[in-house]
Amino acid sequence: MTEQPRMNVESFNLDHRTVAAPYLRIADRKELPGGDVLTKFDVRFTQPNLEHLDTETVHSLEHMMAEHMRNHSEDVLDVSPMGCRTGFYVLLSGDRTVEGFAPVLEATLRDLLAADEVPAANEIQCGWGAHHSLEGAQRAAREFLDQRSVWDRVTAD
Ligand SMILES: [Zn+2]
């Protein structure tokens, strides 16, 4: 592949062949006109272009991280799945570091392992209430947690 032109989206400028999932990295940091800062994390569960999560697993991880993470931080603005199904973006208010956010993510995933249901997995609170897998979400969370010591290692090198 030849050199790509600079893209607007930060992750489009990331060479996905060079990363070593699972990992946690800052994808964006934005200072707002009032001086407040937002930090966006790339929470990568599976190796790009080699593996991806099942869609039920992605959906349940989304629900569970979105709900449980807010018990560990007042500053969570958004938890969104990547369309490629290899991970999630988490947006927080404030100027964050990987070292600062990792314990929040770890605590969230430990809650997820202890949970006995996917929150809001019903047709009143969700757009596809039947499309969930608690087991899949817990398996993916366990595998991600097993690699906790290398979350800050983003590239294979
Ligand atoms: Zn849903």
Side-chain angles (χ1 to χ4, degrees), residues 42 44 52 130-131 136 157:
D42 167 348
R44 194 73 64 154
H52 57 264
H131 193 71
D157 56 50

Side-chain angles (χ1 to χ4, degrees), residues 59 62-63 120 126-128 132:
H59 190 188
E62 178 207 3
H63 276 229
C126 171
W128 194 359
H132 282 281

Side-chain angles (χ1 to χ4, degrees), residues 9 17 23 41-42 58 67 76 82 89 92 99-101 103 124 132 151:
V9 176
R17 298 168 303 179
Y23 67 76
F41 287 95
D42 167 348
V58 169
E67 182 63 19
V76 178
M82 295 174 182
Y89 289 114
L92 295 111
E99 301 72 48
F101 177 60
I124 296 172
H132 282 281
W151 284 0

Side-chain angles (χ1 to χ4, degrees), residues 21-140:
Y23 67 76
L24 175 60
R25 75 180 183 96
I26 290 176
D28 201 4
R29 180 189 175 282
K30 181 86 86 182
E31 190 169 335
L32 302 178
D36 293 330
V37 173
L38 301 178
T39 308
K40 179 180 175 179
F41 287 95
D42 167 348
V43 182
R44 194 73 64 154
F45 275 71
T46 66
Q47 184 63 25
N49 299 296
L50 290 179
E51 297 173 286
H52 57 264
L53 300 168
D54 293 338
T55 92
E56 293 89 341
T57 295
V58 169
H59 190 188
S60 296
L61 278 172
E62 178 207 3
H63 276 229
M64 298 180 91
M65 288 199 291
E67 182 63 19
H68 292 293
M69 197 178 287
R70 286 171 166 89
N71 292 330
H72 298 286
S73 171
E74 299 285 304
D75 304 313
V76 178
L77 295 171
D78 187 44
V79 178
S80 296
M82 295 174 182
C84 58
R85 291 154 45 190
T86 63
F88 296 81
Y89 289 114
V90 179
L91 182 66
L92 295 111
S93 60
D95 198 1
R96 308 282 158 187
T97 60
V98 165
E99 301 72 48
F101 177 60
V104 172
L105 181 60
E106 180 177 355
T108 299
L109 294 175
R110 294 204 182 284
D111 285 356
L112 200 155
L113 291 184
D116 51 18
E117 64 171 13
V118 177
N122 60 70
E123 61 184 41
I124 296 172
Q125 296 174 289
C126 171
W128 194 359
H131 193 71
H132 282 281
S133 172
L134 174 63
E135 188 182 273
Q138 290 179 325
R139 190 183 319 114

